């Protein structure tokens, strides 16, 4: 009996360790992933602070785009997110998910007449030129065609084919400032794994130091209290000890 009890405890402990290891590995894998949030949740910190995990935005979505995160998902448990490759955001004109949010975690400012779907920023589409067949010379403009902001968020750039000297590439180019991150392009991409993906803005956008000045940009504003230049003789000014 003692031997049987020992074996039972040993097997139980081994199963517990294996299950715990699998669960931990799953959690670690989830932390390395990213999540696309519903419309109106641009600021992740603000969103997480205001979201009460009620699921009303999920219920309001007519396309079943949104779902609540479980322990096996990368976002925090109970928070809404979507995976563009599975079901993208179809940019409902009335944005019902934002209307349903009771805490303004999904910012209600986008419901104003002068805002709307073009003011949203769920992420930014990024093209992988190594796997996009358009960069191979294959005529494909699916992502361009399905983009709800065609010729604004995604444009086609013509590039001469130096190899044949007869043809041209039609390359998809994303304008980050216009792309709203709906994911329709990622969903429609014809490659086995999407050659265009929507990533959260924080994953894509950099930020230059303030002392850099972009070429063509207007010069920085002058100080609010400009210094009055000395009109006296320079030699007199230096001899007065005002320095």
């Amino acid at each position: 009996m003692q031997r049987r009890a020992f074996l039972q405890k040993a097997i139980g402990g081994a199963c517990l360790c294996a299950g715990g290891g699998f669960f931990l590995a799953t959690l670690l894998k989830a932390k390395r992933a990213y999540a696309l949030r519903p419309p109106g949740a641009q600021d992740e910190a603000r969103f997480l602070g205001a979201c009460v995990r009620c699921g009303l935005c999920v219920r309001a979505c007519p396309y079943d785009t949104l779902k609540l995160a479980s322990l096996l998902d990368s976002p925090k448990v109970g928070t809404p997110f979507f995976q563009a490759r599975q079901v993208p955001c179809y940019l409902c004109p009335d944005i019902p998910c934002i209307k349903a949010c009771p805490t303004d975690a999904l910012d209600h400012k986008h419901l104003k007449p002068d805002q709307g779907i073009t003011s949203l920023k769920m992420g930014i589409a990024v093209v992988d030129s190594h796997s996009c067949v358009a960069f191979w010379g294959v005529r494909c403009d699916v992502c361009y065609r399905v983009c709800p902001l065609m010729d604004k968020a995604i444009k086609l750039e013509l590039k001469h084919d130096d190899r044949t000297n007869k043809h041209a590439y039609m390359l998809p180019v994303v304008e980050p400032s216009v792309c709203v991150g709906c994911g329709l392009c990622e969903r429609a991409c014809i490659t086995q794994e999407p050659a265009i993906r929507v990533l959260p803005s924080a994953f894509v956008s950099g930020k230059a130091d303030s002392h850099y000045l972009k070429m063509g940009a207007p010069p920085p504003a002058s100080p609010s209290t400009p210094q009055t230049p000395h009109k006296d003789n320079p030699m007199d000014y230096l001899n007065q000890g005002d320095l």
Side-chain angles (χ1 to χ4, degrees), residues 45-151:
R46 176 190 175 279
F47 169 72
L48 291 177
C51 178
V52 293
R53 282 73 164 169
C54 64
L56 292 178
C57 58
V58 177
R59 187 183 306 174
C61 179
Y63 295 99
D64 294 328
T65 297
L66 301 176
K67 58 182 180 179
L68 295 179
S70 67
L71 285 172
L72 301 180
D73 296 314
S74 59
K76 292 187 179 297
V77 176
T79 59
F81 75 107
F82 71 98
Q83 295 173 304
R85 187 61 166 176
Q86 296 180 5
V87 187
C89 174
Y90 287 93
L91 297 178
C92 304
D94 56 342
I95 325 180
C97 54
I98 294 183
K99 285 184 177 180
C101 181
T103 64
D104 204 33
L106 303 182
D107 202 332
H108 284 64
K109 71 178 183 181
H110 299 287
L111 299 176
K112 296 179 180 179
D114 60 338
Q115 296 291 315
I117 60 174
T118 57
S119 66
L120 301 173
K121 183 63 72 173
M122 292 166 278
I124 299 175
V126 178
V127 179
D128 178 10
S129 59
H130 293 285
S131 58
C132 176
V133 295
F135 287 81
W136 299 2
V138 179
R139 175 64 183 272
C140 179
D141 58 0
V142 173
C143 59
Y144 167 77
R145 295 294 175 186
V146 301
C147 179
L149 300 175
M150 185 191 300
D151 283 325

Side-chain angles (χ1 to χ4, degrees), residues 158-178:
L158 294 179
K159 180 182 178 183
H160 181 70
D161 188 348
D162 296 328
R163 183 178 61 85
T164 64
N165 205 31
K166 295 181 180 179
H167 305 94
Y169 295 98
M170 299 185 67
L171 309 178
V173 178
V174 178
E175 176 53 55
S177 62
V178 180

